Amino acid sequence: LKGREFHRASRIPSEFSEEELVAMKEALKGAIQIPTVSFSHEESNFTALAEFGEYIHKVFPTVFNTSFIQHEVVGNYSHLFTIQGSEPRLQPYMLMAHFDVVPAHEEDWEVAPFSGLERDGFIHGRGTLDNKNSVMAILQALELLLTRNYKPRRSFFITLGHDEEVSGTNGAQKMSALLQARGVQLAFIVDECGFILDGFIPNLQKPFAMISISEKGAIDLMLQVNMTPGHSSAPPKETSIGILSAALSRLEQTPMPNMFKSGMLKTMLQQLASEFSFPTNIVLRNLWLFEPLVSRVLERNDVTNALIRTTTALTMYNAGVKVNVIPPVAKATVNIRIHPAQTVVEVLELIKNIVADDRVQFHVLRAFDPLPISPIDDQALGYQMLHQTIQSVFPEVNIVTPGTCIGNTDSRHYTNLTTGIYLFNPVYLQPQDFRSIHGINEKISVQGYQTQVKFIFELIQNSDTDRKPVPHLHEL
Ligand SMILES: CCCCCCCC/C=C\CCCCCCCC(=O)N[C@@H](Cc1ccccc1)C(=O)O
Ligand SMILES: [Zn+2]
Ligand SMILES: [Zn+2]
């Protein structure tokens, strides 16, 4: 693609009045104030989820009153928008986000998590990065385009999930099934998880954009040991608690194989090589020689370690009924995140070999493979659209690199509709911001949010290009 340019005949400039900029941030603050918390599969703040639906109606009236936009509520609370383009021959695409949030323990926060308070140029609160910023920015950009009489050439969908934080089975999964039943196939999808990363790599001063093109798989595995109960005054040599604890300790102490060789982080570091000074630049340019050294360094940091291997986190433990009773049963749940170069079956085999104790039973509660790797070549419309939009909206960012999402997003429910799943939040992220996601003091800068709106405003227009993606098969 020459210069990665895809211009349409008449472009609406991404310039907003002072009044519009104020309205934008106020709309986000209002969204943060609705405590749309997902606690578990069974437990969510359903009142807040419903209120959020009313709220978006109120702040984005044009979106809901435009003849070529169809709005549907799916799974009681999720929102599906179909925006009909003028040229049906262009394959549609989809913008995704979710408006449920994880709980916030108010006492730990500097600013009340559902206040949406603006302080020192930042909007504070749960969901400002994950992921009400995207929900609001998508609708806001569309609202602003519509008020400038925009009509897309390429159709697109917007899906806003209400249960991403508890697996997406009532929202994303149902919206995906509905679109599939309608015969929809998508050119690409854009969802959360990539960022413009700033300060994640020591000695790299420049920020770079990471578009995740795959995401890790997962297994929730319950391990259980049953033993005969009895009086604690004459204990057996081994108890269910002891056997299970030893098995868990083996799991924690035995890292899964290092997959640096076959992962995206290697590509990323090679792409970044010229940004480092001597000798790091030489090391990264010659990974054929320095790979063992580099991968050892990457293992020391929790985030880079998660990018190079399957991880095993011991997350729940339950055992014992009374202080003087030998426990009949001990159970623990392990949350495993699978590297894109491995599968559920392979990882389960490794786990069983590490535990190597027939008294430990395995119960797979939930499992899914990593997402296939989406294409990034010149014909990959989604990647090229994001790349082009990053270049125009963030001219100071001159590196765009593919990456892997170490968490899971709702996008995995849409693999039946497209081979192009791109995870990118057009927002700067520093290590302390990363820790605030699901942590404390989550916030977004007002200017960062306004730039996110501008990004989507431009992305939607860029996507009106005539280019047709060439069918591409996934490869691992
Ligand atoms: C050298 C390069 C450094 C790269 C740094 C990478 C920085 C990572 C950037 C962003 C990561 C943000 C992750 C947020 C997306 C994950 C969303 C999420 O939390 N989803 C849940 C879904 C879930 C899973 C299981 C049960 C319920 C919900 C999750 O993954 O836990
Ligand atoms: Zn999220
Ligand atoms: Zn989340």
Side-chain angles (χ1 to χ4, degrees):
L1 297 180
K2 283 247 164 7
R4 293 202 159 89
E5 292 297 311
F6 300 86
H7 286 302
R8 50 184 268 130
S10 59
R11 242 189 118 77
I12 304 169
S14 53
E15 288 157 11
F16 311 121
S17 68
E18 205 45 50
E19 213 180 4
E20 286 171 334
L21 290 170
V22 171
M24 253 180 228
K25 68 173 182 178
E26 293 306 321
L28 177 62
K29 290 180 199 173
I32 300 301
Q33 287 162 6
I34 306 170
T36 50
V37 177
S38 284
F39 296 96
S40 67
H41 264 116
E42 302 75 32
E43 210 193 335
S44 290
N45 186 340
F46 295 110
T47 314
L49 292 174
E51 191 191 330
F52 196 87
E54 289 159 24
Y55 181 71
I56 55 175
H57 264 90
K58 194 179 82 188
V59 291
F60 304 118
T62 324
V63 171
F64 287 88
N65 288 309
T66 291
S67 59
F68 56 85
I69 300 182
Q70 185 194 1
H71 168 249
E72 293 161 274
V73 173
V74 180
N76 291 329
Y77 305 100
S78 284
H79 299 272
L80 167 63
F81 298 85
T82 306
I83 299 100
Q84 200 62 55
S86 56
E87 296 194 27
R89 71 189 168 84
L90 299 177
Q91 194 177 21
Y93 66 99
M94 188 163 97
L95 303 177
M96 295 176 57
H98 67 90
F99 57 93
D100 63 321
V101 295
V102 293
H105 190 242
E106 180 146 2
E107 286 69 43
D108 300 333
W109 286 58
E110 284 167 13
V111 168
F114 297 104
S115 65
L117 192 83
E118 182 178 345
R119 186 193 276 180
D120 303 329
F122 284 83
I123 298 169
H124 293 251
R126 177 62 86 221
T128 47
L129 292 171
D130 179 19
N131 181 240
K132 284 180 176 167
N133 58 319
S134 297
V135 168
M136 296 304 283
I138 292 170
L139 294 177
Q140 184 71 74
L142 181 58
E143 177 81 11
L144 288 164
L145 280 165
L146 295 170
T147 55
R148 288 155 169 78
N149 296 319
Y150 170 75
K151 164 104 210 245
R153 296 171 69 207
R154 188 186 290 273
S155 297
F156 63 102
F157 298 91
I158 297 173
T159 52
L160 308 177
H162 74 274
D163 62 348
E164 189 276 346
E165 297 293 0
V166 286
S167 79
T169 43
N170 283 317
Q173 202 168 310
K174 288 189 175 156
M175 290 189 280
S176 174
L178 188 60
L179 292 173
Q180 186 169 25
R182 291 175 185 170
V184 171
Q185 279 294 302
L186 299 165
F188 65 91
I189 283 176
V190 179
D191 194 9
E192 63 173 338
C193 205
F195 284 97
I196 297 175
L197 300 173
D198 188 11
F200 278 84
I201 305 183
N203 304 324
L204 179 68
Q205 307 305 333
K206 288 188 184 171
F208 64 98
M210 182 187 81
I211 302 172
S212 295
I213 58 168
S214 177
E215 87 179 25
K216 290 181 101 174
I219 308 173
D220 292 336
L221 184 66
M222 203 251 278
L223 282 72
Q224 181 171 342
V225 178
N226 292 347
M227 297 292 274
T228 313
H231 201 291
S232 64
S233 58
K237 293 278 176 294
E238 288 181 294
T239 60
S240 56
I241 291 180
I243 294 165
L244 183 61
S245 300
L248 293 172
S249 176
R250 283 196 292 281
L251 282 178
E252 199 166 57
Q253 297 302 317
T254 318
M256 290 282 158
N258 182 324
M259 311 300 285
F260 178 60
K261 264 195 183 106
S262 39
M264 221 70 69
L265 189 54
K266 186 174 167 187
T267 317
M268 185 190 291
L269 292 176
Q270 282 165 331
Q271 216 172 316
L272 291 169
S274 57
E275 303 300 323
F276 289 91
S277 53
F278 180 82
T280 314
N281 54 354
I282 302 297
V283 169
L284 296 180
R285 272 199 204 112
N286 293 285
L287 282 178
W288 59 272
L289 179 61
F290 295 110
E291 202 172 270
L293 170 80
V294 173
S295 79
R296 267 203 306 279
V297 172
L298 295 170
E299 282 179 337
R300 290 194 210 134
N301 172 283
D302 291 343
V303 176
T304 46
N305 184 52
L307 285 165
I308 60 176
R309 60 160 42 91
T310 294
T311 55
T312 311
L314 317 181
T315 51
M316 292 162 84
Y317 199 106
N318 195 286
V321 287
K322 194 173 182 303
V323 70
N324 58 353
V325 175
I326 297 298
V329 54
K331 292 179 185 180
T333 307
V334 179
N335 181 241
I336 300 160
R337 304 292 178 131
I338 307 170
H339 187 278
Q342 291 177 309
T343 63
V344 169
V345 173
E346 285 165 14
V347 170
L348 279 176
E349 196 54 35
L350 287 168
I351 295 280
K352 285 177 185 166
N353 288 337
I354 294 167
V355 169
D357 187 335
D358 289 343
R359 294 168 300 179
V360 180
Q361 301 165 21
F362 296 95
H363 302 279
V364 176
L365 305 179
R366 191 182 68 127
F368 49 88
D369 281 324
L371 250 61
I373 293 171
S374 298
I376 59 168
D377 57 82
D378 278 358
Q379 300 303 320
L381 189 67
Y383 195 80
Q384 298 306 338
M385 287 301 102
L386 287 169
H387 195 296
Q388 179 193 346
T389 315
I390 290 166
Q391 283 181 323
S392 68
V393 178
F394 301 99
E396 72 284 9
V397 174
N398 46 34
I399 307 154
V400 178
T401 164
T404 303
C405 180
I406 56 175
N408 297 118
T409 68
D410 265 352
S411 68
R412 75 176 182 283
H413 297 297
Y414 294 93
T415 47
N416 51 339
L417 303 184
T418 186
T419 53
I421 296 181
Y422 302 98
L423 308 176
F424 182 66
N425 232 331
V427 173
Y428 272 80
L429 192 84
Q430 296 185 332
Q432 68 266 29
D433 306 318
F434 173 63
R435 287 188 286 276
S436 77
I437 298 176
H438 291 203
I440 56 169
N441 301 329
E442 190 178 344
K443 61 181 187 300
I444 192 168
S445 77
V446 171
Q447 195 251 320
Y449 176 64
Q450 289 164 345
T451 308
Q452 182 172 10
V453 174
K454 178 184 164 80
F455 183 94
I456 294 161
F457 190 95
E458 294 214 357
L459 178 69
I460 291 174
Q461 293 192 76
N462 288 340
S463 301
D464 275 337
T465 178
D466 273 351
R467 287 200 69 89
K468 252 180 131 179
V470 171
H472 186 289
L473 292 175
H474 278 135
E475 5 175 294
L476 271 183

